[in-house]
Structures are given as structure tokens and as C-alpha cells.
Amino acid sequence: MSDKMTLQVLANHARAAAENMAHTLHRTAHSAFVKETQDFTVLLMDKIGDTFAVPMDLGATWYPGLSHGSAINMVDDYRPGDVAFTNDPYSGQVATHTPDTHLWRPIFDGDDIVAFAGGHIHNTDMGGAVPASLSRSLTEIHQEGIRFPPMKLVNEGVFDPQILRIMETNVRKPALNIGDIKALAGALSTGERKVQAMIARFGKTGFLQGVSALMDQSEAQARDILRAVPDGEYVFADYADEDSDEANPCRLKLTLRITDDSAVLDFTGSDPQLASSLNVPSGGNPRHTILLVGVYYVLYTLNPRLLLNSGMTRPFTCIAPEGTVLNPVEPAAVGMRSLTCARLRSVIFGAFSQAVPDRMPAAPAGNNCIVNVMTRDERTQKTVIAAVNPVVGGGGGMPHRDGSNGSGADAAYLKNTPIEITETEVPVEFVKYGLAQDSGGAGYWRGGLATEMAFRVFSPDTRITARNRDRSFFRPWGTLGGHAAGLSDMMINPGTPQARPLGNVDTAILEPGDVLEIRSAGGGGRGDPLQRPTARVARDVVGGYVSVDAARREYGVVITDGVVDEDATTALRASMTPHTQHFHFGPERNGYEAQWTDAAYDLLTQILADLPIHWRFFTKTEIFRRMKGRKGPEGVTAAFAEVCERFPALPHAAPLKEAAE
């Protein structure tokens, strides 16, 4: 299909088909997390499983480059009406944690498979050790619920009753799971009808050639974007606050190498595979979509006309060494991979911010906390488990405007659930829901404000899981003179004698009358806040976004009785020193990196990479325990020597010790 106009018509048809699939799922789903929050995807794939169309208005935005090829090939003898599925992160490199159930349906023309319709829904619960199946503290995949490797769920239009029975037996709210799965299966049927309509219009050959051309066009667009980025090597690192219950930071490091129209993302130097559920199951696939989500956002920022399909992944190669947090080996837990993926995106944003500083925003909040409640409804005497709401922070300051408030940037797809709906379905009472003052990073373009939410429970032993709790220590960074954003927080019974801060703990048990308050981080600021027009600062103060004290402290703007004192402002700004480095990380990271310098952490990861995988996290933890009063590579060397002496069974301890010394 060489006619550009005809190709554009096909692209419009394909996107419309995907939008129709999304509407089918959205309108028929059972759980609030799918029908309100919209944590789902639908997509159309070519006959080998590469995505060629996704919706733009509904659902999550992680998977436009997803390939189902490996999983498709694990199922034999597809027939019309079949639907296959999997939720196993270690089978087929499609699912990335157990609640994400992926389905795909072959689409036939005569006896030939010409395409697949696919998608995923995030199940409210898949069983396992905790309600909603996910917690940072889990240490192996077997604790994260029942797993299904790729297999047929529907045989020629008939659901397999044994599979449904197994699921009903092992999950906490089977009606929600099965209802959402059947809704997705219905969406795939919609996709099948739409593809067959396209074949009727364009012909089988025209359709197949057109699908291939759409992916070639996306690849060409991505390569054009890369050619406009200066060649070079750009290095950036960022941290998750805690790698496990041990509470040491987890570093992700990226070396981005751009050469002409291609790029390598080398994650060597990132932390080892963790004894927690923050691991990201990429399987070492050099173009796994989960490693490239941040790249999709960058590409689309640089060209909003980009076709979103698998073709745009072709110019990129990812290096994620085996046994690291971005390529764990089974049975590592992976349920909280979304927390690490948020940090992975900020690492990618930071690297591209150095490459094209005039085009990139500051850091988004990067802690899209998903709050689940398991409680007893005293009205019906039934157990309820439901997602209450995502607590998502602001976007970073943009090159042309302030960051989005409340649900910005790379987490904007997570829609809030109206509190009236939540209070109808879940026996909780909201006492606060809104934007957190002074949480956005100061800048010429201010960072988006954080979300804060608080609710009261009424039943004993109410269990909360708040996954993706992060950014309570390492702030979202500002750029080009802009300041880092405010931190996240979670607390039980704030403002009372029974107040109990939880930090990054992601599970809690509440009793009748307890109030849980959660605040996300804000977005980083961009550009010098001392150059922000005083009228904008005054408007932020009137709107409650910025306090009078913060206006003075961060922006140098003096406001008295609601009016800017221009003379006092001019004098104050002249006395203040602007931040001149590209990034502003805040005092917490600056203090941490005074001890853990780049050279120190690089030495740590080199030491760990030489160990067998099952020794790496243990050794990291032991080195951290011995770093008190030490810093830099010399401190790491001394700490590691003590570990070798204390644990003589450490493989190759003597050679490693000699190398470190």
C-alpha cells in the first residue's frame, strides 16, 4: 500500500477500531479500577503479534510497542472463536505482574490468521499473600497470586469452565475478576469485527501490506526524531526510596547513546535483583515495552503526530543485564514493578533532558499510588475489596506552561474515581480530597501540585494496600534553575495524639474510626523561579496553590494583604541566588550522594555483578550496613572487605576482596 492517502485512511480505521474496543470494555467492565480508573489496554496486532493500533482516549498508555509474539507461539492450534490468556510474568514476556491478565484473539480470513486483537485488564485481586496481591515486602512470585502461563481460555467461543473454577477458588473477589475478563473478551470480539470490516474495504493483501506500512512509518518517524537529537552519550541516575523492608535506596542508572537515527539504552550499573517485589520482568528483551515506556513519552513529546505502534521501538536497543532489578530471574517477586517503572521513566526523562533541554519538562511526581481497601461492609455484612482511588502527583514544569496538577505527565491515564461512586461501593467516608499547597516545584514554570486524600473506615481489621508508595525521600527533580518538588507522605490519624506516620510502608491495618491520609509528590519546576512573573505568583497564592510564605521563600515575591509589593519584591529577588545547575535534586539526594558518590555506587554494582545472583542483594545490604561513617569508593572497599571477612562462604570472596583493595 504505497498511496499515502489510503494509508492514512487505514490508520484512521485502525485507531477507530481500537477506540471501539476500548469503549466496549469501558462500558461493560465490573470493577471500579477498570471502569473508572481505566487501568486496561486494548490493541490490534499483526499476524506475528506486533501492535499496530491502540486507542488514544481510553486506558493505560504503556503498551503501544508491546509484542505478544512469544506468548502467541506458546499456544497451539488456534481456531476461530478462540481466546488465549496469561498473567504469568515469566511466560511469554507479555504480562509483567500477576494482576495484569492479558487476552488475545486470533482473527481469521478464511483459513489464515491475518491479525490478533488483544489487551489486558488489571484484576482487583489474584490471590496471594495480601489483598490486591501486591506489596513491596513480598519476596517471591509465588506470594503474588495464582499464575496462568499462556493457554486457551475460550475454545471456539466457549469459556473453559475448569480455568474459571480454578480462578474462582484462588482469588478474593472472583465475580469482579471474571466479569472484567469477560468484558475484555467482548472487546476482542469488537476488534475482530472491525478488522474484518477493514479487510472487506481494503482487501486482504491491501490490509496486510497497510499494517506493515503503518509500522514502517512509525519507525521512520522515530528515526527522524532521533536524528534531530544531538549525537552523544548522556548519563543519568535516579533512586527509588527503598529497595525492600531493609529501606536502602534502589538506584537505576542509564547511559543513553544516540548515534544518528538509533539509540542504545544501557542500564548497566543499576541495582541487582532485589529481595522485594520492585523487580521489572523484562526477560532481557532488548525492545521490551516495559523498558521503553519512558521513550514513548519522549517521542510523543517531540512529535505529537507520531503513529503509536511497534515500529517506533525498532531504533532502540536496551541493555539490562540478567540478575538486575530490570531483568530478574525467576522466582523473583515483580508485583510492584510499576513503582520501579515510574523511576525508570524519570531516568529516561533525565537523560533526554540533557540531550534536548529546550524541549523536555522537569520530573513528574513519579509515585502513582494505587489505594486498595479490604473491609467488611456493615450495611450488607459482605466483604468488600476495591481500588479506592489513585493518588497521583503533578507533572513537571513544561517548556511552555506549568505542570499539570493532580494527575500529570506519565500517570495522567489513571483517572480519578468520583468519591460519590467510591462511597457507594466501599464503606469509607472521604474527609479530604484535593490538591496539596506548596507541593509543586518552584520555577519559571511551576511544577504540578500533588494530590492529597484522606478517608475514614468503619469496620475492624480493615486492610489497606497502597502500592507504589515512593518519593518520600528523593524528590522529583527540577531543571534549568527550577526547584525539586514536595515529597509524598502517608499517615494514620493525622493531627491527633494517635497520629502514626507510615513513610513508604504500603500495607496497613485500620480499626473503626481510623483515618488514612495520603499525599503524593508534586512535579519539579522548570526555569528560574525568580524570573516568574509576579502576577502569576500572585494568582497562585489567590488560588491556594502557593502560600504567602512560599511565594516569598521560593519566588522572592512579597505579598501583603493579597497585593504584590513590587519594590520589596525587586529588592528581595536581587538578594537571592538562583540555582544554576541543570538539575535541582533537593537536600535529601545531595546529602545522600555526598556519601554515595557516583564512583562509590559504580564500584558497588561492579562488585555485585561479579557475584552469583542469589548473593547480590544480600551483599548489597551488608555493605550498606557497614557504610556508617564512611563515604566514596574507599568506604565501599572497606565495607566490602568486612563483609568478605564476616561471610567466608561468599563465593570468590578472596579474589573480590583483593580486587576491591
Side-chain angles (χ1 to χ4, degrees), residues 316-346:
F316 298 90
T317 301
C318 297
I319 300 172
E322 186 178 65
T324 63
V325 65
L326 298 180
N327 183 13
V329 298
E330 193 173 3
V334 298
M336 293 286 287
R337 54 82 173 124
S338 47
L339 187 158
T340 311
C341 287
R343 204 56 53 249
L344 176 60
R345 296 194 296 274
S346 68

Side-chain angles (χ1 to χ4, degrees), residues 358 360-363 395-404 440-448 477-483 523-533 536-537 539-540 555:
D358 58 321
M360 293 296 295
M398 302 287 284
H400 58 288
R401 65 172 175 83
D402 293 341
S404 300
Y444 184 90
W445 296 115
R446 175 181 45 75
W477 33 266
T479 59
L480 302 177
H483 295 180
R526 186 182 191 278
D528 183 2
L530 302 182
Q531 298 299 317
R532 185 171 173 86
R536 289 184 180 274
V537 178
R539 186 176 63 187
D540 282 348
Y555 294 93

Side-chain angles (χ1 to χ4, degrees), residues 241-293:
D241 290 346
E242 299 175 359
D243 60 5
S244 66
D245 291 343
E246 295 290 340
N248 296 315
C250 170
R251 184 178 80 154
L252 299 185
K253 182 178 181 181
L254 168 63
T255 301
L256 171 67
R257 302 183 185 96
I258 297 178
T259 305
D260 191 29
D261 64 352
S262 63
V264 174
L265 288 82
D266 187 349
F267 296 103
T268 301
S270 298
D271 260 22
Q273 178 174 318
L274 306 176
S276 70
S277 65
L278 272 65
N279 301 293
V280 179
S282 69
N285 182 340
R287 294 185 180 87
H288 196 293
T289 195
I290 203 166
L291 297 177
L292 291 173
V293 177

